[in-house]
Coordinates of all heavy atoms in Angstrom, one line a residue:
M111 N -53.8 2.1 -68.8 CA -53.3 3.4 -68.5 C -51.9 3.5 -69.2 O -51.1 2.7 -69.1 CB -53.2 3.6 -67.0 CG -52.5 4.9 -66.7 SD -52.5 5.2 -64.9 CE -53.9 6.1 -64.7
A112 N -51.7 4.6 -69.9 CA -50.4 4.9 -70.6 C -49.4 5.3 -69.6 O -49.6 6.0 -68.7 CB -50.6 5.9 -71.6
S113 N -48.1 4.8 -69.9 CA -47.0 5.2 -69.0 C -46.4 6.4 -69.6 O -46.4 6.7 -70.8 CB -46.0 4.1 -68.8 OG -45.5 3.8 -70.1
A114 N -45.7 7.2 -68.7 CA -45.0 8.4 -69.2 C -43.9 8.0 -70.1 O -43.2 7.0 -69.8 CB -44.5 9.2 -68.0
Q115 N -43.6 8.7 -71.1 CA -42.6 8.4 -72.0 C -41.5 9.5 -72.0 O -41.8 10.7 -71.7 CB -43.1 8.4 -73.5 CG -44.2 7.3 -73.7 CD -43.6 5.9 -73.6 OE1 -42.6 5.6 -74.2 NE2 -44.3 5.0 -72.9
N116 N -40.3 9.2 -72.2 CA -39.2 10.1 -72.2 C -38.7 10.5 -73.6 O -37.7 11.1 -73.8 CB -38.0 9.6 -71.3 CG -37.4 8.4 -71.9 OD1 -37.7 8.0 -73.1 ND2 -36.5 7.8 -71.2
G117 N -39.5 10.2 -74.6 CA -39.2 10.6 -76.0 C -38.5 9.5 -76.7 O -38.3 9.6 -77.9
S118 N -38.0 8.5 -76.0 CA -37.3 7.4 -76.7 C -38.1 6.1 -76.8 O -37.6 5.1 -77.2 CB -36.0 7.1 -75.9 OG -36.3 6.6 -74.6
G119 N -39.4 6.2 -76.4 CA -40.2 5.0 -76.5 C -40.1 4.2 -75.2 O -40.7 3.2 -75.1
Q120 N -39.2 4.6 -74.3 CA -39.0 3.8 -73.1 C -39.8 4.6 -71.9 O -39.9 5.8 -72.0 CB -37.5 3.7 -72.7 CG -36.7 3.0 -73.7 CD -37.1 1.6 -73.9 OE1 -37.4 0.9 -72.9 NE2 -37.2 1.1 -75.1
P121 N -40.3 3.8 -70.9 CA -40.9 4.5 -69.8 C -39.9 5.5 -69.1 O -38.7 5.2 -69.1 CB -41.3 3.4 -68.8 CG -41.3 2.1 -69.7 CD -40.3 2.4 -70.8
A122 N -40.4 6.6 -68.6 CA -39.6 7.6 -68.0 C -39.1 7.0 -66.6 O -39.7 6.2 -66.0 CB -40.4 8.8 -67.7
T123 N -37.8 7.3 -66.3 CA -37.2 6.9 -65.1 C -36.9 8.1 -64.2 O -36.7 9.2 -64.8 CB -36.0 6.0 -65.3 OG1 -35.0 6.8 -66.0 CG2 -36.3 4.8 -66.0
K124 N -36.8 7.9 -62.9 CA -36.4 9.0 -62.1 C -35.0 9.3 -62.2 O -34.2 8.3 -62.3 CB -36.7 8.6 -60.6 CG -38.2 8.5 -60.3 CD -38.3 8.2 -58.8 CE -39.8 8.1 -58.4 NZ -39.9 7.8 -57.0
P125 N -34.6 10.5 -62.2 CA -33.1 10.8 -62.3 C -32.4 10.4 -61.0 O -33.0 10.4 -60.0 CB -33.1 12.4 -62.5 CG -34.4 12.9 -62.0 CD -35.4 11.7 -62.2
A126 N -31.2 10.0 -61.2 CA -30.4 9.6 -60.0 C -30.2 10.8 -59.1 O -29.9 11.9 -59.6 CB -29.0 9.1 -60.4
T127 N -30.4 10.7 -57.8 CA -30.3 11.8 -56.9 C -28.9 11.7 -56.3 O -28.4 10.7 -55.9 CB -31.3 11.8 -55.8 OG1 -31.3 10.6 -55.1 CG2 -32.7 11.9 -56.4
Q128 N -28.3 12.9 -56.1 CA -27.0 13.0 -55.5 C -27.2 13.3 -54.0 O -28.1 14.1 -53.7 CB -26.2 14.1 -56.1 CG -25.8 13.7 -57.6 CD -24.9 12.5 -57.7 OE1 -24.1 12.3 -56.9 NE2 -25.2 11.7 -58.7
P129 N -26.5 12.8 -53.1 CA -26.6 13.1 -51.7 C -26.3 14.6 -51.5 O -25.4 15.2 -52.1 CB -25.6 12.3 -51.0 CG -25.0 11.3 -51.9 CD -25.4 11.8 -53.3
A130 N -27.1 15.3 -50.7 CA -26.9 16.7 -50.4 C -25.7 16.8 -49.5 O -25.4 16.0 -48.7 CB -28.1 17.2 -49.7
T131 N -24.9 17.9 -49.8 CA -23.8 18.1 -49.0 C -23.9 19.5 -48.3 O -24.6 20.4 -48.9 CB -22.5 18.1 -49.8 OG1 -22.5 19.1 -50.8 CG2 -22.2 16.8 -50.4
V132 N -23.3 19.6 -47.2 CA -23.4 20.9 -46.5 C -21.9 21.3 -46.2 O -21.1 20.5 -45.7 CB -24.1 20.7 -45.1 CG1 -24.1 22.0 -44.3 CG2 -25.6 20.3 -45.4
D133 N -21.6 22.5 -46.6 CA -20.2 23.0 -46.4 C -19.8 22.8 -45.0 O -20.5 23.1 -44.0 CB -20.2 24.5 -46.7 CG -20.3 24.8 -48.2 OD1 -20.1 23.8 -49.0 OD2 -20.6 25.9 -48.6
G134 N -18.6 22.2 -44.8 CA -18.0 22.0 -43.5 C -18.4 20.6 -42.9 O -17.8 20.3 -41.9
F135 N -19.3 19.9 -43.5 CA -19.7 18.6 -42.9 C -19.2 17.4 -43.7 O -19.4 16.3 -43.3 CB -21.2 18.5 -42.8 CG -21.7 19.3 -41.6 CD1 -22.3 20.6 -41.8 CD2 -21.7 18.8 -40.3 CE1 -22.8 21.3 -40.7 CE2 -22.2 19.5 -39.3 CZ -22.7 20.7 -39.5
G136 N -18.6 17.6 -44.9 CA -18.1 16.5 -45.6 C -19.2 15.7 -46.3 O -20.3 16.2 -46.5
Q137 N -18.9 14.5 -46.7 CA -19.8 13.7 -47.4 C -20.8 13.0 -46.4 O -20.5 12.7 -45.3 CB -19.1 12.5 -48.1 CG -18.2 13.1 -49.3 CD -19.1 13.7 -50.3 OE1 -20.1 13.3 -50.8 NE2 -18.6 14.9 -50.8
P138 N -22.1 12.9 -46.9 CA -23.1 12.2 -46.0 C -22.7 10.8 -45.8 O -22.1 10.1 -46.5 CB -24.4 12.3 -46.8 CG -24.1 13.2 -48.0 CD -22.6 13.3 -48.2
V139 N -23.2 10.3 -44.6 CA -23.0 8.9 -44.3 C -24.1 8.1 -44.9 O -25.3 8.5 -45.0 CB -23.1 8.7 -42.7 CG1 -23.0 7.2 -42.3 CG2 -22.0 9.5 -42.1
S140 N -23.7 6.9 -45.4 CA -24.7 6.1 -46.1 C -25.8 5.5 -45.2 O -25.5 5.4 -44.0 CB -24.0 4.9 -46.8 OG -23.5 4.0 -45.8
T141 N -26.9 5.2 -45.7 CA -28.0 4.6 -44.9 C -27.5 3.3 -44.2 O -27.8 3.1 -43.1 CB -29.2 4.3 -45.8 OG1 -29.6 5.6 -46.4 CG2 -30.4 3.8 -45.0
S142 N -26.8 2.5 -44.9 CA -26.4 1.2 -44.3 C -25.4 1.5 -43.2 O -25.5 0.8 -42.1 CB -25.7 0.3 -45.4 OG -24.6 0.9 -45.9
A143 N -24.6 2.5 -43.3 CA -23.7 2.8 -42.2 C -24.5 3.3 -41.0 O -24.2 3.0 -39.8 CB -22.6 3.8 -42.6
L144 N -25.4 4.2 -41.2 CA -26.3 4.7 -40.1 C -27.0 3.6 -39.4 O -27.1 3.6 -38.2 CB -27.3 5.7 -40.7 CG -26.7 7.1 -41.0 CD1 -27.8 7.9 -41.6 CD2 -26.1 7.8 -39.8
Q145 N -27.5 2.6 -40.2 CA -28.2 1.5 -39.5 C -27.3 0.7 -38.6 O -27.8 0.2 -37.6 CB -28.8 0.6 -40.6 CG -30.0 1.2 -41.3 CD -30.4 0.3 -42.5 OE1 -29.8 -0.5 -43.0 NE2 -31.7 0.6 -42.9
R146 N -26.0 0.6 -38.9 CA -25.1 -0.1 -38.0 C -24.9 0.6 -36.7 O -24.7 0.0 -35.7 CB -23.8 -0.3 -38.7 CG -23.7 -1.3 -39.8 CD -22.3 -1.7 -40.2 NE -21.4 -0.6 -40.4 CZ -21.2 0.0 -41.6 NH1 -21.8 -0.5 -42.7 NH2 -20.3 1.0 -41.7
Y147 N -25.1 1.9 -36.7 CA -24.8 2.7 -35.5 C -26.1 3.0 -34.7 O -26.1 3.6 -33.7 CB -24.1 4.0 -35.8 CG -22.7 3.7 -36.3 CD1 -22.4 4.0 -37.7 CD2 -21.7 3.2 -35.5 CE1 -21.1 3.8 -38.1 CE2 -20.4 3.0 -36.0 CZ -20.2 3.2 -37.3 OH -18.9 3.0 -37.8
S148 N -27.2 2.6 -35.3 CA -28.5 3.0 -34.7 C -28.8 2.2 -33.4 O -28.5 1.0 -33.3 CB -29.6 2.7 -35.7 OG -30.9 2.8 -35.0
G149 N -29.2 2.9 -32.4 CA -29.6 2.2 -31.1 C -30.9 1.5 -31.3 O -31.1 0.5 -30.7
S150 N -31.7 2.0 -32.1 CA -33.0 1.4 -32.5 C -33.8 0.8 -31.3 O -34.3 -0.2 -31.4 CB -32.9 0.4 -33.6 OG -32.1 -0.7 -33.1
G151 N -33.7 1.5 -30.2 CA -34.4 1.0 -29.0 C -35.1 2.2 -28.3 O -35.0 3.3 -28.7
L152 N -35.8 1.8 -27.3 CA -36.4 2.8 -26.5 C -35.4 3.7 -25.7 O -34.5 3.2 -25.1 CB -37.4 2.2 -25.4 CG -38.1 3.1 -24.5 CD1 -39.1 4.0 -25.2 CD2 -38.8 2.3 -23.4
V153 N -35.6 5.0 -25.8 CA -34.7 5.9 -25.1 C -35.5 6.5 -23.9 O -36.6 7.1 -24.2 CB -34.2 7.0 -26.0 CG1 -33.4 8.0 -25.2 CG2 -33.4 6.4 -27.1
Q154 N -35.1 6.4 -22.7 CA -35.8 6.9 -21.6 C -34.8 7.9 -20.9 O -33.7 7.5 -20.5 CB -36.2 5.8 -20.6 CG -37.0 6.4 -19.5 CD -37.5 5.3 -18.5 OE1 -37.5 4.2 -18.9 NE2 -37.9 5.7 -17.4
N155 N -35.2 9.1 -20.8 CA -34.4 10.1 -20.1 C -35.2 10.6 -18.8 O -36.3 11.0 -18.9 CB -34.1 11.3 -21.0 CG -33.3 10.9 -22.1 OD1 -32.2 10.4 -21.9 ND2 -33.7 11.1 -23.3
N156 N -34.5 10.5 -17.7 CA -35.1 11.0 -16.5 C -34.2 12.1 -15.9 O -33.0 11.9 -16.0 CB -35.3 9.9 -15.5 CG -36.2 8.9 -15.9 OD1 -37.3 9.2 -16.4 ND2 -35.9 7.6 -15.8
Q157 N -34.8 13.1 -15.4 CA -34.0 14.2 -14.8 C -34.7 14.6 -13.5 O -35.8 15.0 -13.5 CB -33.9 15.4 -15.8 CG -32.9 16.4 -15.3 CD -32.8 17.5 -16.4 OE1 -33.7 18.3 -16.5 NE2 -31.7 17.4 -17.1
T158 N -34.0 14.4 -12.4 CA -34.5 14.8 -11.1 C -33.7 15.9 -10.6 O -32.5 15.7 -10.4 CB -34.5 13.6 -10.2 OG1 -35.2 12.5 -10.8 CG2 -35.1 13.9 -8.9
I159 N -34.3 17.0 -10.4 CA -33.7 18.2 -9.9 C -34.4 18.5 -8.6 O -35.6 18.8 -8.6 CB -33.7 19.4 -10.8 CG1 -33.0 19.0 -12.2 CG2 -33.1 20.6 -10.2 CD1 -33.1 20.0 -13.2
T160 N -33.7 18.5 -7.5 CA -34.3 18.8 -6.2 C -33.5 19.8 -5.5 O -32.2 19.9 -5.6 CB -34.4 17.6 -5.3 OG1 -33.1 17.0 -5.1 CG2 -35.3 16.5 -6.0
G161 N -34.1 20.7 -4.8 CA -33.4 21.7 -4.1 C -34.4 22.4 -3.1 O -35.6 22.4 -3.3
T162 N -33.9 23.0 -2.1 CA -34.7 23.7 -1.1 C -34.1 25.0 -0.7 O -32.9 25.1 -0.8 CB -35.0 22.8 0.1 OG1 -33.7 22.6 0.7 CG2 -35.7 21.5 -0.2
V163 N -35.0 25.9 -0.4 CA -34.5 27.2 0.2 C -35.3 27.3 1.4 O -36.6 27.5 1.4 CB -34.8 28.4 -0.8 CG1 -34.4 29.7 -0.1 CG2 -34.0 28.2 -2.1
T164 N -34.7 27.1 2.6 CA -35.4 27.2 3.8 C -34.6 28.1 4.8 O -33.4 28.1 4.8 CB -35.7 25.8 4.4 OG1 -34.4 25.2 4.6 CG2 -36.5 25.0 3.5
G165 N -35.3 28.7 5.7 CA -34.6 29.4 6.8 C -33.9 30.7 6.3 O -33.1 31.2 7.1
D166 N -34.1 31.1 5.1 CA -33.4 32.3 4.6 C -34.2 33.5 5.0 O -35.4 33.5 5.1 CB -33.2 32.2 3.1 CG -32.2 31.1 2.7 OD1 -31.5 30.6 3.5 OD2 -32.2 30.9 1.5
T167 N -33.5 34.6 5.1 CA -34.2 35.9 5.4 C -33.5 36.9 4.5 O -32.3 36.8 4.1 CB -34.1 36.4 6.8 OG1 -32.7 36.5 7.2 CG2 -34.7 35.4 7.8
A168 N -34.3 37.9 4.1 CA -33.7 39.1 3.4 C -34.3 40.3 4.0 O -35.6 40.5 4.0 CB -34.1 38.9 1.9
S169 N -33.5 41.2 4.4 CA -34.0 42.5 5.0 C -33.3 43.6 4.4 O -32.1 43.6 4.1 CB -33.6 42.5 6.5 OG -34.2 41.3 7.2
N170 N -34.1 44.7 4.2 CA -33.6 45.9 3.6 C -32.8 45.7 2.3 O -31.7 46.1 2.2 CB -32.7 46.6 4.6 CG -33.4 47.0 5.9 OD1 -34.6 47.4 5.8 ND2 -32.8 46.8 7.0
V171 N -33.4 44.9 1.4 CA -32.7 44.6 0.2 C -33.4 45.4 -1.0 O -34.6 45.7 -0.9 CB -32.8 43.1 -0.1 CG1 -31.9 42.4 0.9 CG2 -34.2 42.6 -0.1
T172 N -32.7 45.6 -2.0 CA -33.3 46.2 -3.2 C -33.0 45.2 -4.3 O -31.9 44.7 -4.5 CB -32.6 47.5 -3.5 OG1 -32.7 48.4 -2.4 CG2 -33.2 48.2 -4.8
T173 N -34.1 44.9 -5.1 CA -33.9 44.1 -6.2 C -33.9 44.9 -7.5 O -34.5 46.0 -7.5 CB -35.0 43.0 -6.3 OG1 -36.3 43.7 -6.4 CG2 -34.9 42.1 -5.1
G174 N -33.2 44.5 -8.5 CA -33.1 45.2 -9.7 C -34.1 44.7 -10.8 O -35.0 43.9 -10.5
S175 N -33.8 45.1 -12.0 CA -34.6 44.6 -13.1 C -33.6 44.0 -14.1 O -32.4 44.3 -14.1 CB -35.4 45.8 -13.8 OG -34.5 46.7 -14.3
N176 N -34.1 43.2 -15.0 CA -33.3 42.7 -16.0 C -34.1 42.6 -17.3 O -35.3 42.6 -17.3 CB -32.7 41.3 -15.7 CG -33.8 40.3 -15.3 OD1 -34.8 40.2 -16.0 ND2 -33.6 39.6 -14.2
A177 N -33.4 42.6 -18.4 CA -34.1 42.7 -19.7 C -33.3 41.9 -20.7 O -32.0 41.9 -20.7 CB -34.3 44.1 -20.2
I178 N -33.9 41.3 -21.7 CA -33.3 40.7 -22.8 C -33.6 41.6 -24.0 O -34.8 41.8 -24.4 CB -33.8 39.3 -23.1 CG1 -33.4 38.4 -21.9 CG2 -33.2 38.7 -24.4 CD1 -33.9 37.0 -22.0
T179 N -32.6 42.2 -24.6 CA -32.8 43.1 -25.7 C -32.8 42.4 -27.0 O -32.4 41.2 -27.1 CB -31.7 44.2 -25.7 OG1 -30.4 43.6 -25.9 CG2 -31.8 45.0 -24.4
G180 N -33.1 43.1 -28.1 CA -33.2 42.6 -29.4 C -31.9 41.8 -29.9 O -32.0 40.9 -30.7
N181 N -30.8 42.2 -29.5 CA -29.5 41.6 -30.0 C -28.9 40.7 -29.0 O -27.7 40.3 -29.1 CB -28.5 42.7 -30.4 CG -29.0 43.4 -31.6 OD1 -29.7 42.9 -32.5 ND2 -28.7 44.7 -31.7
A182 N -29.6 40.3 -28.0 CA -29.0 39.5 -26.9 C -28.5 38.2 -27.4 O -27.5 37.7 -26.8 CB -30.0 39.3 -25.8
F183 N -29.1 37.6 -28.4 CA -28.7 36.3 -28.8 C -28.0 36.3 -30.2 O -27.8 35.3 -30.8 CB -29.9 35.4 -28.9 CG -30.5 35.1 -27.6 CD1 -31.7 35.7 -27.2 CD2 -30.0 34.2 -26.7 CE1 -32.3 35.5 -26.0 CE2 -30.5 33.9 -25.5 CZ -31.7 34.5 -25.1
Q184 N -27.6 37.5 -30.6 CA -26.9 37.7 -31.8 C -25.6 36.9 -31.8 O -24.8 37.0 -30.9 CB -26.6 39.1 -32.1 CG -25.9 39.4 -33.4 CD -25.8 40.9 -33.7 OE1 -26.2 41.7 -33.0 NE2 -25.1 41.2 -34.8
G185 N -25.4 36.0 -32.8 CA -24.2 35.2 -32.9 C -24.3 33.9 -32.0 O -23.3 33.2 -31.9
A186 N -25.3 33.7 -31.3 CA -25.4 32.5 -30.4 C -25.5 31.3 -31.2 O -26.1 31.2 -32.3 CB -26.7 32.6 -29.5
T187 N -24.9 30.2 -30.7 CA -25.0 28.9 -31.4 C -25.4 27.9 -30.4 O -25.3 28.1 -29.2 CB -23.6 28.5 -32.0 OG1 -22.6 28.5 -31.0 CG2 -23.2 29.5 -33.1
G188 N -25.7 26.7 -30.9 CA -26.1 25.6 -29.9 C -27.5 25.9 -29.4 O -28.4 26.3 -30.1
M189 N -27.6 25.6 -28.1 CA -28.9 25.7 -27.5 C -28.8 26.7 -26.3 O -28.6 26.2 -25.2 CB -29.5 24.4 -27.0 CG -29.7 23.4 -28.2 SD -30.3 21.9 -27.6 CE -31.9 22.4 -26.8
P190 N -28.9 28.0 -26.5 CA -28.7 28.9 -25.4 C -29.8 28.7 -24.4 O -30.9 28.4 -24.7 CB -28.9 30.3 -26.1 CG -28.7 30.0 -27.6 CD -29.1 28.6 -27.8
S191 N -29.4 29.0 -23.1 CA -30.4 28.9 -22.0 C -30.3 30.2 -21.3 O -29.2 30.7 -21.0 CB -30.0 27.7 -21.1 OG -30.8 27.7 -20.0
V192 N -31.4 30.7 -20.9 CA -31.5 32.0 -20.2 C -32.2 31.8 -18.9 O -33.3 31.2 -18.8 CB -32.2 33.1 -21.0 CG1 -32.3 34.4 -20.2 CG2 -31.5 33.3 -22.3
V193 N -31.6 32.3 -17.8 CA -32.3 32.2 -16.5 C -32.2 33.6 -15.9 O -31.1 34.2 -15.9 CB -31.6 31.2 -15.5 CG1 -32.2 31.3 -14.2 CG2 -31.6 29.8 -16.1
Q194 N -33.3 34.2 -15.6 CA -33.3 35.5 -15.0 C -34.0 35.6 -13.7 O -34.9 34.8 -13.4 CB -34.1 36.5 -16.0 CG -33.4 36.7 -17.3 CD -34.1 37.7 -18.1 OE1 -35.1 37.4 -18.7 NE2 -33.6 38.9 -18.1
N195 N -33.4 36.4 -12.8 CA -34.0 36.5 -11.5 C -33.7 37.8 -10.9 O -32.6 38.3 -11.0 CB -33.4 35.4 -10.6 CG -33.8 35.5 -9.1 OD1 -35.0 35.9 -8.9 ND2 -32.9 35.3 -8.2
T196 N -34.7 38.5 -10.3 CA -34.4 39.7 -9.7 C -34.8 39.7 -8.2 O -34.9 40.7 -7.5 CB -35.3 40.9 -10.3 OG1 -36.7 40.5 -10.2 CG2 -34.9 41.0 -11.8
G197 N -35.1 38.5 -7.7 CA -35.5 38.3 -6.3 C -34.4 37.9 -5.4 O -33.2 37.9 -5.7
N198 N -34.8 37.6 -4.2 CA -33.8 37.2 -3.1 C -34.2 35.9 -2.6 O -35.4 35.5 -2.6 CB -33.8 38.2 -2.0 CG -33.4 39.6 -2.5 OD1 -32.2 39.8 -2.7 ND2 -34.3 40.5 -2.6
N199 N -33.2 35.1 -2.1 CA -33.5 33.8 -1.6 C -34.2 32.9 -2.5 O -35.2 32.3 -2.2 CB -34.3 33.9 -0.3 CG -33.5 34.7 0.8 OD1 -32.3 34.7 0.8 ND2 -34.2 35.4 1.7
V200 N -33.8 32.9 -3.7 CA -34.4 32.1 -4.8 C -33.5 31.0 -5.2 O -32.3 31.2 -5.4 CB -34.8 33.0 -6.0 CG1 -35.4 32.2 -7.1 CG2 -35.7 34.1 -5.6
L201 N -34.1 29.8 -5.4 CA -33.3 28.7 -5.9 C -33.7 28.5 -7.4 O -34.9 28.3 -7.7 CB -33.6 27.4 -5.1 CG -33.1 26.1 -5.7 CD1 -31.6 26.1 -5.6 CD2 -33.7 24.9 -5.0
I202 N -32.8 28.6 -8.2 CA -33.0 28.4 -9.7 C -32.4 27.1 -10.1 O -31.2 27.0 -9.9 CB -32.5 29.6 -10.5 CG1 -33.2 30.9 -10.1 CG2 -32.7 29.3 -12.0 CD1 -32.7 32.1 -10.7
Q203 N -33.1 26.2 -10.6 CA -32.6 25.0 -11.2 C -33.1 24.8 -12.6 O -34.3 25.1 -12.9 CB -33.1 23.8 -10.3 CG -32.6 23.9 -8.9 CD -33.1 22.7 -8.1 OE1 -34.3 22.5 -7.9 NE2 -32.2 21.8 -7.7
T204 N -32.2 24.4 -13.5 CA -32.6 24.2 -14.9 C -31.9 23.0 -15.4 O -30.9 22.6 -14.9 CB -32.2 25.5 -15.7 OG1 -31.6 25.1 -16.9 CG2 -31.3 26.4 -15.1
G205 N -32.6 22.3 -16.3 CA -32.0 21.2 -16.9 C -32.6 21.0 -18.3 O -33.7 21.4 -18.6
V206 N -31.8 20.4 -19.2 CA -32.2 20.2 -20.6 C -31.8 18.8 -20.9 O -30.7 18.3 -20.7 CB -31.4 21.2 -21.5 CG1 -31.8 20.9 -22.9 CG2 -31.8 22.6 -21.2
I207 N -32.7 18.1 -21.6 CA -32.5 16.8 -22.2 C -32.7 16.9 -23.6 O -33.8 17.4 -24.1 CB -33.4 15.7 -21.6 CG1 -33.1 15.5 -20.1 CG2 -33.2 14.4 -22.3 CD1 -34.0 14.5 -19.4
V208 N -31.8 16.5 -24.4 CA -31.9 16.6 -25.9 C -31.8 15.3 -26.5 O -30.8 14.5 -26.2 CB -30.8 17.5 -26.5 CG1 -30.9 17.6 -28.0 CG2 -30.9 18.9 -25.9
N209 N -32.8 14.9 -27.2 CA -32.8 13.6 -27.9 C -32.6 13.9 -29.4 O -33.4 14.7 -30.0 CB -34.1 12.8 -27.7 CG -34.2 12.3 -26.3 OD1 -33.3 11.7 -25.8 ND2 -35.3 12.5 -25.7
V210 N -31.7 13.3 -30.0 CA -31.5 13.5 -31.5 C -31.7 12.1 -32.1 O -31.1 11.1 -31.8 CB -30.0 13.9 -31.8 CG1 -29.8 14.1 -33.3 CG2 -29.7 15.3 -31.1
Q211 N -32.6 12.1 -33.1 CA -33.0 10.9 -33.8 C -32.7 11.1 -35.3 O -33.2 12.1 -35.9 CB -34.4 10.6 -33.6 CG -34.8 9.3 -34.2 CD -36.3 8.9 -33.9 OE1 -37.1 9.8 -33.6 NE2 -36.6 7.7 -34.0
L212 N -31.8 10.3 -35.8 CA -31.5 10.3 -37.3 C -32.2 9.2 -38.0 O -32.1 8.0 -37.6 CB -30.0 10.2 -37.5 CG -29.1 11.2 -36.7 CD1 -27.7 10.9 -36.8 CD2 -29.4 12.6 -37.2
K213 N -32.9 9.5 -39.0 CA -33.6 8.5 -39.8 C -33.1 8.5 -41.2 O -33.0 9.6 -41.8 CB -35.1 8.7 -39.7 CG -35.7 8.4 -38.4 CD -37.2 8.4 -38.4 CE -37.8 8.0 -37.1 NZ -39.2 7.9 -37.2
P214 N -32.9 7.4 -41.8 CA -32.4 7.4 -43.2 C -33.6 7.8 -44.1 O -34.7 7.7 -43.8 CB -32.0 6.0 -43.5 CG -32.5 5.1 -42.3 CD -32.9 6.1 -41.2

């Protein structure tokens, strides 16, 4: 099978790749540096959220409505969380576990 030629009679080689940069983040970390900081093990996350609502009463109450409109998250960053409730005597519990895995 013939090898690809680059016009000089030599086999073609892949061009050297430059690390991608992202404005505001500086230079990328080398693969060897990332390997030194890698936990490289099993990650187990447990979250136990317990709560109770007992013995509550609600009499002669009016509940409202709520809505998320088209621009509600405009300009939001990170991981926004939304909890909505229009009821009474309600226990709302929320939790987030985020695992970030970086691979060279």
Side-chain angles (χ1 to χ4, degrees):
M111 176 179 262
S113 64
Q115 300 291 315
N116 64 8
S118 65
Q120 300 296 321
T123 59
K124 291 182 180 179
T127 58
Q128 296 296 322
T131 59
V132 177
D133 289 342
F135 282 98
Q137 294 298 315
V139 176
S140 70
T141 301
S142 61
L144 286 175
Q145 287 174 342
R146 287 194 312 265
Y147 296 111
S148 172
S150 66
L152 176 66
V153 176
Q154 180 178 348
N155 293 302
N156 295 314
Q157 187 172 76
T158 304
I159 300 175
T160 61
T162 59
V163 176
T164 59
D166 292 348
T167 61
S169 301
N170 300 319
V171 295
T172 302
T173 59
S175 62
N176 56 46
I178 296 177
T179 63
N181 292 327
F183 293 102
Q184 184 174 354
T187 60
M189 298 181 60
S191 176
V192 176
V193 177
Q194 292 182 283
N195 174 38
T196 61
N198 297 289
N199 300 331
V200 176
L201 172 66
I202 297 175
Q203 296 180 298
T204 135
V206 176
I207 294 175
V208 177
N209 290 311
V210 178
Q211 184 177 23
L212 304 173
K213 290 188 175 185

